[in-house]
Amino acid sequence: MKNFLIINGHQKYGSSEGRLNQTLVDSMVSLLHENNRVKTTTLQKGYSVEEEQKKFVWADTIIYQTPIYWFSVPGLLKTYMDEVYAYGLFFKGGDQYGRGGLLTNKTYMLSTTWNAPEKAFNDPTQFFKGDDLEGALGHLHRVQEFLGMHPLKSFACYDVIKNPNIDKYVTELHAHLKNVLKF
């Protein structure tokens, strides 16, 4: 039995109410709850920094469910990281920059929703200049690496505004989780 922390990083933006990200969180909870312990945080509802730090210490795997706004996480998720990732608890200074992470026994997964179509990735003639999903999320991976955590393969839902397909996203997420978590 493993401990999972799922963070819903959605922040209301324009007409985006966050239903897709909440659906994906609910789907993960349903899938993982059977044989594991699961805690969640929905940033839009508020949080206690101390409680969140305790959840990180408790968790074996942290899953960030977040939309990508302007090629990064919403401001609310960035603020959460700034407030929760504490020196001395999550990282410390070291001889080499970026090698003082204290969460070395933990894994994480980025599960993201994009308005970008899937074809915008992995093609040097498209917007991301040939970067795959992991490359486009590289800056977010650096944050987790700084804390010492180890990545699981990221997941993405593409084209979520122009061509939403909720059933497809949930089915693909379940298959992805079963693959990367080996169950």
Side-chain angles (χ1 to χ4, degrees):
M1 186 171 283
K2 289 190 173 187
N3 297 335
F4 288 90
L5 170 59
I6 304 171
I7 300 167
N8 183 344
H10 182 268
Q11 179 176 351
K12 184 171 174 22
Y13 178 72
S15 63
S16 175
E17 297 290 329
R19 288 186 304 271
L20 173 57
N21 282 275
Q22 189 59 55
T23 296
L24 296 171
V25 167
D26 293 344
S27 178
M28 284 187 265
V29 169
S30 177
L31 180 67
L32 296 172
H33 185 262
E34 258 183 58
N35 298 308
N36 303 283
R37 292 178 291 270
V38 180
K39 294 183 180 183
T40 62
T41 298
T42 301
L43 301 186
Q44 195 73 48
K45 293 180 180 178
Y47 56 89
S48 156
V49 169
E50 184 177 311
E51 285 301 311
E52 293 308 302
Q53 290 170 339
K54 288 178 184 176
K55 288 179 184 178
F56 265 85
V57 170
W58 168 85
D60 299 308
T61 299
I62 294 87
I63 300 174
Y64 299 90
Q65 177 58 58
T66 184
I68 298 298
Y69 294 160
W70 291 106
F71 313 105
S72 194
V73 296
L76 189 58
L77 180 51
K78 174 61 169 83
T79 298
Y80 173 90
M81 292 175 184
D82 291 343
E83 294 176 343
V84 172
Y85 296 179
Y87 180 84
L89 182 62
F90 286 25
F91 64 95
K92 62 181 170 72
D95 294 338
Q96 184 180 6
Y97 182 79
R99 298 295 180 237
L102 300 174
L103 303 182
T104 58
N105 62 338
K106 300 183 184 303
T107 57
Y108 74 93
M109 186 182 97
L110 301 173
S111 178
T112 56
T113 58
W114 295 75
N115 190 41
E118 190 170 7
K119 70 181 182 180
F121 298 85
N122 300 306
D123 180 344
T125 68
Q126 294 286 326
F127 180 80
F128 290 103
K129 310 280 189 249
D131 277 352
D132 63 3
L133 176 65
E134 302 299 3
L137 296 173
H139 61 295
L140 300 175
H141 285 299
R142 293 298 84 68
V143 173
Q144 308 316 311
E145 181 182 357
F146 194 90
L147 302 178
M149 291 197 288
H150 304 282
L152 297 171
K153 184 178 179 184
S154 298
F155 175 77
C157 300
Y158 301 102
D159 217 3
V160 300
I161 303 297
K162 290 182 259 174
N163 296 302
N165 188 337
I166 309 305
D167 292 338
K168 175 182 179 250
Y169 301 149
V170 169
T171 299
E172 289 175 349
L173 177 59
H174 279 217
H176 181 84
L177 288 170
K178 288 177 180 178
N179 182 49
V180 300
L181 299 175
K182 310 291 186 226
F183 67 89

